[in-house]
Amino acid sequence: MTRLLITPAQPALATHRGAAATEVLRAFPPRTLATSWPQTEAPREEVLNRLHQPPLRYENKQSQYQRTVGASLLLDWLTTLPGNTWQQRWDTSLASADYNGWYQEAWVWAAAQGRPLSRNWSDNGLLALICADVVRPSMQWLVGNGGRHFRPAVATTRDPDGFARLAADVPAQERATAIAKMAMKYIAQIVVAYGGSVDDISVGDLLAHPRVHGHGSQAVRLAYNWLRNRGQFPTDAPATLQNLTARTGQISPSGLIDRYQLRCQPVRDLLVDYLTERQPTVDYTTLNSIASHLGGLFWADLEHHHPGINTLRLPSDVSDAWKARVAVKTVRRRLADGTIKTVTQPRQSVVGVKQTVRAFYLDLAHWALEEPARWGGWAAPCPIDEAECVTKKRDQQQKSRSDQRTRERMPVLPVLVRTAERRLKEARARLDAIDAAPLGSTVTIQGETFTLPRSSQRADGKSEEVHDASGVRRHPRREEKRAFFAWATIEILRHTGIRVEELLELRACLTWSAWRASCSRSGLPRVRGRRGSGSL
């Protein structure tokens, strides 16, 4: 088995995060990742002995047994890998870079030893080693693998006093929200990846978090506010990450490629030059897709499975292996019983990926004739035949899947329509009841109890947000608006048969008054709003 040696790398000052964020990262860089520490240098017997001592010892005997046995098997597996410490052996393994199926390499080894290892035992064993600070996975790995037991286990074993003080500083109602729980989880991930305690987290640690953009960015900003309000950050640190974590326009070709942290600098520069050359002739979405196919699915995959590769002239066995890998993808599916299962399924966009790679090779060959000094050194035989890029079979399969979805969904369409109407009426009734209640009071509607705030910043004096019986913050106006637009979208699609792209075009044509008239004709309660404001 080919292993990729991964050395601990610092989070890149990625230009695609925006100029403001990059400047703050330069002023407040993240902490340096340690290469060795006492716990990762400890012998196997000492590590296992610590797992039986508080606070690493689990009170539930069955869970403690699974953690101990799983950790023992994982340590035996790591012993077979090169390295002087447990962390070095972990970095050498394929598991350190596999965010979805990290356990597969350990499973193969355990099965060969006659000691089969289940997913539950491997997860529990690795969590025990993480809590014992024996290994420190990367932030990217932690984001892709953290389960619901991760944050409580880390808080109890790594820095119980620090997490307790942090929880005491956060109001109980805020601490019960989903965003706050996610923020606590991100803080636990930083503690694991960098070591130390909650009090050691720096500005750069949070700004370099993989979730600082996109999904989860609100939780990262909340965690930053918590730590800054405690006086943990320098006085010249940003007051908030609100503006820093927002993207500032389109990402440059170099930023698109640098997302994949390619090791071969000449190929990285070639891909940047290629995107720069293509940029004037394609839109940004297409450019981003080309960067994803060439930088992520093609070259980053080759570097992962063939360390040291530095040429586009691929042997037939290398290109065939890549085609086999890109034809499938690993996804995580939630089963009916709530468990998560990792499965391998065909990649629907495989033909598009091959077309992009083939176009890349053919463009280089053509440009080499016009500018041999610039492109001639990269001209190489294309590893993809024209027959592999035929889309007829893919189009037929796509139409078949679409027809099958229609056949499956048509019988339940009446249920969907009734549900959308019911949720809209319930949201409207809930908002009316809350608006009719005085500030600071408690109102019960549809079996739910809501507590109104004592003051309001709205001009009409109505409450913008309320708290339910469990302390979760609710926004009744947003809920009503989402319920209305969900109902309106369903009605338009089922009565007109237009495509989603055409539905989006209606946003520029239909005003709120048109929607209100539609509600009246349908016999549904009107949606509160100002004339001429809002759209689909």
Side-chain angles (χ1 to χ4, degrees):
M1 178 181 298
T2 302
R3 292 193 177 93
L4 175 63
L5 180 59
I6 301 177
T7 56
Q10 302 304 320
L13 300 180
T15 57
H16 65 275
R17 287 182 173 171
T22 302
E23 290 301 321
V24 173
L25 263 176
R26 291 192 178 120
F28 302 95
R31 287 177 289 166
T32 301
L33 295 175
T35 58
S36 183
W37 55 94
Q39 292 85 345
T40 194
E41 298 173 356
R44 177 182 181 278
E45 292 73 17
E46 181 179 335
V47 172
L48 295 178
N49 183 59
R50 288 183 57 224
L51 297 182
H52 292 281
Q53 308 299 324
L56 296 173
R57 184 181 63 198
Y58 206 68
E59 296 300 330
N60 185 286
K61 294 183 178 180
Q62 179 64 23
S63 298
Q64 173 64 18
Y65 178 75
Q66 290 183 357
R67 288 191 178 190
T68 304
V69 174
S72 176
L73 285 172
L74 290 178
L75 290 176
D76 292 340
W77 161 64
L78 289 174
T79 306
T80 65
L81 304 179
N84 297 323
T85 65
W86 300 115
Q87 181 65 30
Q88 291 177 1
R89 300 181 184 107
W90 169 261
D91 289 334
T92 305
S93 69
L94 294 175
S96 63
D98 194 342
Y99 307 145
N100 292 320
W102 71 267
Y103 45 84
Q104 294 180 358
E105 185 181 3
W107 282 11
V108 172
W109 175 88
Q113 303 298 316
R115 304 163 64 188
L117 186 63
S118 68
R119 177 65 188 273
N120 192 31
W121 286 31
S122 58
D123 284 347
N124 285 330
L126 185 58
L127 180 59
L129 296 180
I130 290 175
C131 291
D133 202 15
V134 176
V135 294
R136 296 177 182 176
S138 65
M139 286 298 304
Q140 290 79 4
W141 191 97
L142 292 169
V143 169
N145 285 282
R148 61 187 181 93
H149 299 295
F150 175 82
R151 195 270 306 166
V154 172
T156 304
T157 58
R158 294 292 291 270
D159 186 20
D161 295 337
F163 279 95
R165 290 193 300 268
L166 178 62
D169 294 338
V170 180
Q173 291 183 342
E174 181 179 353
R175 194 168 62 247
T177 63
I179 295 298
K181 294 178 181 178
M182 190 179 298
M184 285 287 187
K185 181 178 179 180
Y186 291 167
I187 291 176
Q189 291 171 351
I190 295 176
V191 169
V192 167
Y194 290 93
S197 63
V198 174
D199 296 337
D200 297 323
I201 297 177
S202 66
V203 175
D205 296 346
L206 282 163
L207 197 54
H209 194 281
R211 294 298 194 195
V212 74
H213 295 298
H215 176 71
S217 60
Q218 185 177 354
V220 178
R221 295 196 297 266
L222 181 60
Y224 181 90
N225 293 339
W226 288 347
L227 299 180
R228 193 182 191 282
N229 293 338
R230 302 173 69 200
Q232 186 166 324
F233 296 154
T235 56
D236 56 342
T240 177
L241 297 186
Q242 182 68 38
N243 297 326
L244 297 178
T245 58
R247 295 192 184 277
T248 56
Q250 298 179 354
I251 305 172
S252 65
S254 60
L256 291 173
I257 294 298
D258 286 341
R259 290 181 298 186
Y260 307 104
Q261 300 181 3
L262 304 182
R263 290 174 171 81
C264 183
Q265 188 67 26
V267 174
R268 176 264 177 198
D269 296 339
L270 171 67
L271 294 179
V272 172
D273 289 344
Y274 179 76
L275 290 183
T276 304
E277 195 75 15
R278 294 287 308 275
Q279 189 174 18
T281 61
V282 297
D283 57 34
Y284 178 72
T285 301
T286 303
L287 189 72
N288 188 21
S289 177
I290 295 174
S292 174
H293 291 171
L294 295 179
L297 295 177
F298 179 60
W299 194 254
D301 180 85
L302 289 175
E303 287 189 341
H304 179 79
H305 292 87
H306 306 279
I309 187 172
N310 58 3
T311 177
L312 297 180
R313 192 177 297 270
L314 304 180
S316 58
D317 59 333
V318 174
S319 61
D320 291 342
W322 172 77
K323 294 175 188 178
R325 291 192 300 270
V326 78
V328 297
K329 63 178 180 179
T330 302
V331 298
R332 304 178 69 186
R333 294 187 178 277
R334 184 178 297 277
L335 304 181
D337 58 359
T339 60
I340 303 296
K341 181 180 180 181
T342 302
V343 298
T344 301
Q345 65 182 29
R347 188 186 301 275
Q348 304 299 337
S349 61
V350 61
V351 177
V353 176
K354 292 182 178 179
Q355 288 176 335
T356 302
V357 175
R358 177 175 171 81
F360 172 62
Y361 273 84
L362 297 182
D363 286 341
L364 293 181
H366 178 71
W367 297 346
L369 297 176
E370 300 177 349
E371 299 181 71
R374 181 181 181 186
W375 307 104
W378 293 106
C382 181
I384 300 175
D385 298 331
E386 183 178 1
E388 299 180 66
C389 298
V390 176
T391 62
K392 181 179 180 180
K393 183 177 180 180
R394 180 195 64 179
D395 296 341
Q396 291 176 344
Q397 292 175 344
Q398 182 175 350
K399 184 178 185 305
S400 177
R401 291 193 300 269
S402 178
D403 293 342
Q404 181 62 25
R405 286 197 302 268
T406 301
R407 288 190 292 269
E408 293 174 351
R409 286 159 175 73
M410 281 299 295
V412 298
L413 179 59
V415 178
L416 177 64
V417 173
R418 291 195 300 269
T419 302
E421 293 179 354
R422 175 180 57 81
R423 294 187 63 179
L424 176 57
K425 293 179 180 179
E426 291 176 353
R428 178 59 178 170
R430 186 163 54 244
L431 178 60
D432 287 340
I434 292 174
D435 283 348
L439 295 176
S441 64
T442 300
V443 58
T444 300
I445 178 70
Q446 299 168 358
E448 293 183 291
T449 302
F450 301 97
T451 302
L452 280 67
R454 297 183 180 275
S455 61
S456 173
Q457 297 181 354
R458 290 176 55 90
D460 57 4
K462 303 298 183 181
S463 58
E464 184 66 30
E465 60 183 32
V466 296
H467 289 87
D468 60 17
S470 59
V472 177
R473 184 183 303 172
R474 299 274 295 273
H475 299 82
R477 299 180 193 281
R478 297 181 190 176
E479 294 176 2
E480 181 208 27
K481 186 175 182 180
R482 285 194 294 266
F484 168 75
F485 283 121
W487 166 83
T489 300
I490 294 172
E491 291 296 307
I492 290 177
L493 290 176
R494 80 184 184 96
H495 285 298
T496 64
I498 64 174
R499 298 181 296 116
V500 174
E501 294 82 359
E502 296 170 329
L503 175 65
L504 296 178
E505 293 296 329
L506 294 178
R507 292 185 302 177
C509 305
L510 296 179
T511 62
W512 189 272
S513 58
W515 287 116
R516 187 163 54 181
S518 174
C519 285
S520 299
R521 290 193 299 269
S522 303
L524 292 174
R526 293 183 178 182
V527 180
R528 187 170 300 178
R530 295 180 298 174
R531 181 179 179 84
S533 65
S535 60
L536 248 189

